[in-house]
Amino acid sequence: MSTVAVTRIIEAHAVDVWRLLTDLPGRTARLTAAGPIEVLTPGPFGPGTAWREERAQPGGGTSSEEFLVVEAFAPQRLVLCSSGAGVDYRITWSLRPVRRRRRGGTAITVTQEAVPIAPYGRVVALLLGGLAARAVEVALRRDLADLAAAAGVIGSLEAA
């Protein structure tokens, strides 16, 4: 199993960050790596919600990924799962309020765990583990930067 975790502080309240994080129709406008999204389940966002999205890959190209919400505790914790070729992924978003510059902010930690479920998944993890972990870290940092930029737009609208 490999785990990659990235933390960033965003200058917005956790409820606003949560709203951005769980707004599926708005993902493509906010996340530079996300392409078209197809919501696969009806109803409000929560455990059981599933969607498919195109994601830009490092080095070019795209891949189609399906995500399923496993846990959703607004506005503190969101857990998603996604299956890949021989690997199951668990992505956990943890939001924690912080005080910065006398304003409210949110520390966000996103953790991706990759668990090989097939023999070839274990072989690939051994051969490409470090390279894959670096690519995942870059992708997670990019998503957090995009989320911070979107939260900054909300903050400037509220201040106006």
Side-chain angles (χ1 to χ4, degrees):
M1 177 171 82
S2 74
T3 301
V4 176
V6 176
T7 299
R8 179 176 180 140
I9 294 178
I10 294 180
E11 299 294 334
H13 294 284
V15 293
D16 295 325
V17 175
W18 180 265
R19 193 174 315 116
L20 290 170
L21 192 58
T22 60
D23 172 25
L24 295 180
R27 282 176 74 84
T28 56
R30 278 189 311 283
L31 300 179
T32 56
I37 291 178
E38 176 187 2
V39 178
L40 304 173
T41 54
F45 188 93
T49 299
W51 72 94
R52 180 181 303 120
E53 70 183 54
E54 297 293 318
R55 296 284 295 182
Q57 297 300 303
T62 61
S63 69
S64 180
E65 297 184 27
E66 286 190 19
F67 296 94
L68 173 68
V69 176
V70 179
E71 297 175 25
F73 298 107
Q76 300 107 338
R77 180 177 161 90
L78 175 63
V79 180
L80 310 173
C81 68
S82 178
S83 293
V87 179
D88 278 345
Y89 298 99
R90 184 176 179 93
I91 303 106
T92 302
W93 296 78
S94 301
L95 290 73
R96 182 176 49 85
V98 294
R99 298 289 300 166
R100 289 179 46 128
R101 299 184 196 122
R102 297 185 186 192
R103 296 181 48 197
T106 304
I108 301 177
T109 300
V110 59
T111 305
Q112 179 174 304
E113 299 170 276
V115 180
I117 57 171
Y120 63 88
R122 290 180 182 87
V123 170
V124 170
L126 273 173
L127 296 175
L128 301 175
L131 180 62
R134 283 188 291 283
V136 167
E137 181 179 351
V138 167
L140 295 178
R141 287 189 188 285
R142 181 182 52 220
D143 284 353
L144 284 174
D146 291 346
L147 196 59
V153 169
I154 287 175
S156 65
L157 292 175
E158 289 175 350

